[in-house]
Structures are given as C-alpha cells and as structure tokens.
Amino acid sequence: MRSGSRLRSWCSALPPAAGGAVMATGILSIALELTGRTRLSLAALVVAGGLWLVLAGDFAVRLIGDRGRFRAEADTPAALTAVAATTLLGARLSQLGRQREAAALLALAALLWPGLLVSVVRHWRRRMPGAAFLVCVATQGLAVLAAALAAAGNVHWLALAALACFCLGLLLYGLALTRFDFHEVVSGAGDHWVAGGALSITALAGARLTALPLWTGPAHTALRAATLTALGISLAWYAVLLAAELRSPRPRYDVRRWSTVFPLGMTATACLTAAPATGVPWLRPLGEVLLWIAVAAWILTLLAFALSRSRPGRGAA
C-alpha cells in the first residue's frame, strides 16, 4: 500500500519537463537501431514506451481531474515535450515496421500540437530558457514522423505535410532564438542544450525529406543544403555548449538534464541519417562517436536521478 501511494505521489509530482526523459530514450533507441544494435535499441524502446505510458496517464488525469494545473502547465514550453516524445516514439515504431501504431501516434501528436503551441507562444517572455526551442522540436518531430510514414507507404500528402512542418519549424526556431536568454549557456540547468538539439531534429527531418524520391532537381538540392546547414550549426552549438559545461560545471541533478541527453542523441541520429541522404559519408562515423557520448550521458543522468531520489528533498522528479 505504501509503495503504491508513493508511486502515485511521485507520478502526480512529475513536471512537464519529465517528457525529456522519453525524448532522450526514444532518440537513443532510433540511433542504436541505425547502428545495428538492435537489442539495445529494443531495450531503450521498452523503457521509452513505459515512461510514455506513465506520462500519458498522468497527462490524462490532470486534463480530467485538475484542469487548473493542466492549463497552467500547458502554458509552459515544457508542455510540448508531450508532442515531441509522442512523435519520436512513433518514429521508432515506424522503424520497426509498425506503421499503423506510428500513424496513430502521429494523429495523437497532431491533435495535441496546435493547442499547446498556441498556448506556449502566447505566454512567451522576453528572456526564455532553452525550453523555448521546444516549439521547433515538437513541430520538427511531426515532420520526422510524417516523412517516415510517407516513405513507408509512399503517401504523397504526408510528404507535403512533413515539408510544411519542416518549414514552419525553421521559422519557429528563428522566433525562439530572438527570445532565448544566452546567459543560459553558462548557467542553464540542462534545457539550454535544446538550442542546438532543435537544429539537430531539423536536420533529421530534412534528411528524411531529402531521402524521399518525391523531391528531385532544385527541390532536392535545396533540402540537402538546408539539412547540411542545420546540421552544421547544430554541431557548432554542440561544441559551444560542451565548452560552456566544462567551463561552468553543473553536476547537480535536475529533471531538465534529460533535455541535455536528448540533443546529444538527436545530433548523433541526425548525423547517421544525413550521411546516406546527403551523400556525406564521414557523417556516419561522427554519428557513431556522438551516439556513445549520448549513451554515456543517459547513464550518468539516470545515476544522478537515482542518487537524488535516495536523498529526500534534494532532487526533482
């Protein structure tokens, strides 16, 4: 009884930013499959799926039973992790050949996305943390999953929808950049890494679109150029953010640290996917190196979480 009560209490205390754990684990599952580590990939998928179910249940409980809290949390950028996490889980299922389940998750994410996006943008402040870039991440997540389903079923309208989301995501990134507090680079609690991760998922979406046979000639060239540009800038962000972490270490656990792991894994995945799509083969070995850095970061973050839970009052959810 006590353990059940503790579990319910823990779930009810989960902040929206906890969705970053699903995003981080889901993208690692995708990347591990791309490198042929199927067993590890499936293990990560099971973890991501379990976490997603917990958070989805909590989301539904708050929507039905605590509308005030739901509305307050829906105004924060972290609420968009619900959309991003759902699209990444769907992308992994599509990778497994489970297209119906992936399509259902795309429909769910598309249903959640507009309301949350509008609510978040309406409550933007002048100086925002890195979570502000989740407006781009969630939108590009839709592009990634739509492009995956378009490729799997040769569905023309899904490819067009993916392209529309890709373009909108680029616009939203620019808007978020104007609101980003650059002091977060040296003082952020973890979600400042999304500034680079948003461009990594943009590059992933671009690579998926570039690989579609629908785009030829100038359209293909433009998509390839956009993909490589986004990836190049995301790698520059990676270097800057890593240097800032080394200069100003922030070892204490915070739930937003999962939003550090996610960009690390996303950058690796973008490199692995862009290599064949853009014809730049050296991106693959780079992606493999970055993948193991992301895996190490995931393990360290999990250990930090476990340690924080063993010290009451010291750790977030």
Side-chain angles (χ1 to χ4, degrees):
M1 292 293 290
R2 288 183 179 179
S3 60
S5 177
R6 288 176 182 174
L7 179 60
R8 286 192 295 271
S9 176
W10 178 72
C11 289
S12 66
L14 286 172
V22 183
M23 295 163 60
T25 311
I27 198 60
L28 286 182
S29 178
I30 292 172
L32 287 165
E33 179 62 26
L34 289 173
T35 57
R37 277 84 177 185
T38 300
R39 290 185 179 179
L40 285 175
S41 173
L42 290 175
L45 175 60
V46 169
V47 173
L51 290 172
W52 185 87
L53 288 173
V54 169
L55 293 174
D58 187 54
F59 184 94
V61 167
R62 294 181 191 184
L63 176 61
I64 297 170
D66 193 349
R67 298 299 295 274
R69 180 179 177 183
F70 178 84
R71 284 192 292 268
E73 292 181 342
D75 294 341
T76 65
L80 285 165
T81 61
V83 176
T86 301
T87 60
L88 292 176
L89 187 60
R92 181 63 185 98
L93 290 176
S94 177
Q95 201 177 29
L96 275 173
R98 311 289 297 190
Q99 307 307 337
R100 289 185 179 180
E101 292 84 351
L105 289 177
L106 176 60
L108 176 59
L111 182 66
L112 294 173
W113 172 72
L116 289 174
L117 180 68
V118 170
S119 182
V120 167
V121 171
R122 285 180 58 195
H123 291 85
W124 263 357
R125 305 186 307 275
R126 185 175 180 181
R127 299 291 183 184
M128 295 287 291
F133 291 98
L134 285 168
V135 295
C136 171
V137 172
T139 307
Q140 296 294 8
L142 292 171
V144 168
L145 182 49
L149 289 169
N154 195 26
V155 184
H156 183 81
W157 72 267
L158 271 177
L160 293 176
L163 179 62
C165 287
F166 176 74
C167 294
L168 178 58
L170 283 171
L171 174 62
L172 289 169
Y173 184 88
L175 293 175
L177 189 63
T178 65
R179 301 277 182 155
F180 180 52
D181 182 359
F182 282 89
H183 288 98
E184 289 284 308
V185 172
V186 293
S187 63
D191 58 357
H192 54 292
W193 277 82
V194 184
L199 284 175
S200 295
I201 194 172
T202 297
L204 176 60
R208 291 281 180 90
L209 286 166
T210 302
L212 291 175
L214 178 64
W215 317 113
T216 58
H220 180 272
T221 301
L223 280 170
R224 180 180 182 275
T227 298
L228 291 175
T229 300
L231 184 55
I233 299 174
S234 75
L235 288 169
W237 264 115
Y238 193 117
V240 169
L241 291 166
L242 180 59
E245 292 281 356
L246 295 174
R247 180 177 178 271
S248 304
R250 285 147 273 181
R252 187 172 182 177
Y253 175 76
D254 188 290
V255 68
R256 288 168 289 184
R257 267 305 176 193
W258 291 108
S259 292
T260 298
V261 181
F262 161 70
L264 296 177
M266 182 55 74
T267 306
T269 306
C271 288
L272 292 167
T273 306
T278 62
V280 184
W282 60 264
L283 286 173
R284 181 170 180 84
L286 174 61
E288 291 180 353
V289 171
L290 295 179
L291 170 59
W292 293 113
I293 294 174
V295 170
W298 188 94
I299 294 171
L300 288 173
T301 304
L302 180 63
L303 291 174
F305 164 73
L307 183 61
S308 74
R309 297 300 299 174
S310 69
R311 297 177 180 177
R314 292 195 177 187

